[in-house]
Amino acid sequence: MSAATSLRRAAAASWRPLLTVAVLLGGAEAAQRAGLLPVFIPSPTQVIAEAIRDPRLVTENVGQTALRAAIGYAISATIAITAASLAVLVRPLYGPVYNLGVTLHSIPIIALAPLLATWIGTGSQLQIAIAALTSQFAMLVGTIQGLRAADARQRELLHVLSATRLQMLRYLLVPSALPYLFAGLKIAAPSAVLGAITAEWAGADRGVGAMMLYALFAYDTPKVWLSVVLTCLLAASGYAIWAAIERVAIFWEPATELADQP
């Protein structure tokens, strides 16, 4: 199956979720007009009107959050994939690397953000750091699980051929790890967005999180829901981008999900 065929099948399957979203939006609009929804739930048209009335409110805040999340995500991917590769290649490092990843993942971000704010400030560096921390675990687990998924007989063959560790990594471990790596990358992308938005609550002038917080204090319900919609769109976009790249890069493999244990 070619990459083009995979993309066509993905496009053909996308009509179901799009239809579901359209039905939900139509139902919410009808319910609001009929007075069946509480006052704190606006209709979809009210939320859209809020975005149309001030487009810069959307573009400036979304751009700031997307940029911070992307930088944090890139930093996290570099560190997590490198650390996971070292943990698999150098066996004594496996335990410390994995345990450190679990520890960082276990810290509540809502509690970590104020602590980091007192250390590194409330500027963009805080949002980038939180985005990196929230996205690291999925990529770490995906890389470790993928690098350990190579067939044992192929490992033995390369060992018999006197392959070095770098050759083992390049010709066997990395190709075998790609489905798991992409699974981790897809999961981590929404996490980076949510981490950046959570960090913006600790203090930011712009960003979807700051927009949400200001609207909440002003009791501006449509703007609050607009920020929620923008959060969902950013998180879904991050996942969709990596899903599309995965279909092109490893179209010969079915989609892979991460297991509970690496």
Side-chain angles (χ1 to χ4, degrees), residues 6-17:
S6 299
L7 290 176
R8 283 197 297 269
R9 289 187 176 181
S14 63
W15 69 269
R16 293 184 180 89

Side-chain angles (χ1 to χ4, degrees), residues 245-262:
I245 295 174
E246 179 188 23
R247 287 184 176 274
V248 175
I250 49 173
F251 55 86
W252 64 89
E253 287 281 355
T256 301
E257 300 294 338
L258 296 183
D260 293 333
Q261 298 292 332

Side-chain angles (χ1 to χ4, degrees), residues 63-255:
Q64 289 290 325
T65 300
L67 178 61
R68 294 162 183 165
I71 295 174
Y73 182 86
I75 294 172
S76 179
T78 302
I79 296 175
I81 294 173
T82 302
S85 301
L86 291 174
V88 172
L89 291 176
V90 184
R91 184 62 187 178
L93 294 178
Y94 174 81
V97 168
Y98 188 72
N99 290 334
L100 178 61
V102 172
T103 301
L104 292 175
H105 186 63
S106 302
I107 301 175
I109 296 302
I110 197 67
L112 183 61
L115 295 176
L116 283 178
T118 62
W119 179 30
I120 62 176
T122 58
S124 297
Q125 63 270 20
L126 175 63
Q127 289 86 48
I128 292 172
I130 295 296
L133 288 173
T134 54
S135 60
Q136 58 84 25
F137 189 65
M139 291 183 282
L140 180 72
V141 172
T143 305
I144 289 177
Q145 186 173 330
L147 292 176
R148 299 180 66 190
D151 186 76
R153 292 171 297 180
Q154 294 176 334
R155 287 174 179 264
E156 293 176 2
L157 175 61
L158 288 180
H159 181 71
V160 169
L161 295 174
S162 301
T164 65
R165 288 187 175 182
L166 289 178
Q167 289 174 328
M168 183 84 71
L169 183 68
R170 176 182 177 183
Y171 295 112
L172 176 61
L173 299 184
V174 170
S176 300
L178 283 179
Y180 298 88
L181 176 59
F182 273 108
L185 291 170
K186 289 187 294 185
I187 295 172
S191 298
V193 172
L194 298 178
I197 290 174
T198 302
E200 288 170 351
W201 294 348
D205 295 331
R206 292 182 180 179
V208 177
M211 169 185 166
M212 183 184 300
L213 201 61
Y214 295 152
L216 185 63
F217 288 148
Y219 298 98
D220 191 342
T221 305
K223 192 174 293 184
V224 171
W225 280 92
L226 175 60
S227 60
V228 171
V229 171
L230 294 176
T231 300
C232 296
L233 290 177
L234 275 176
S237 297
Y239 184 96
I241 288 171
W242 282 110
I245 295 174
E246 179 188 23
R247 287 184 176 274
V248 175
I250 49 173
F251 55 86
W252 64 89
E253 287 281 355

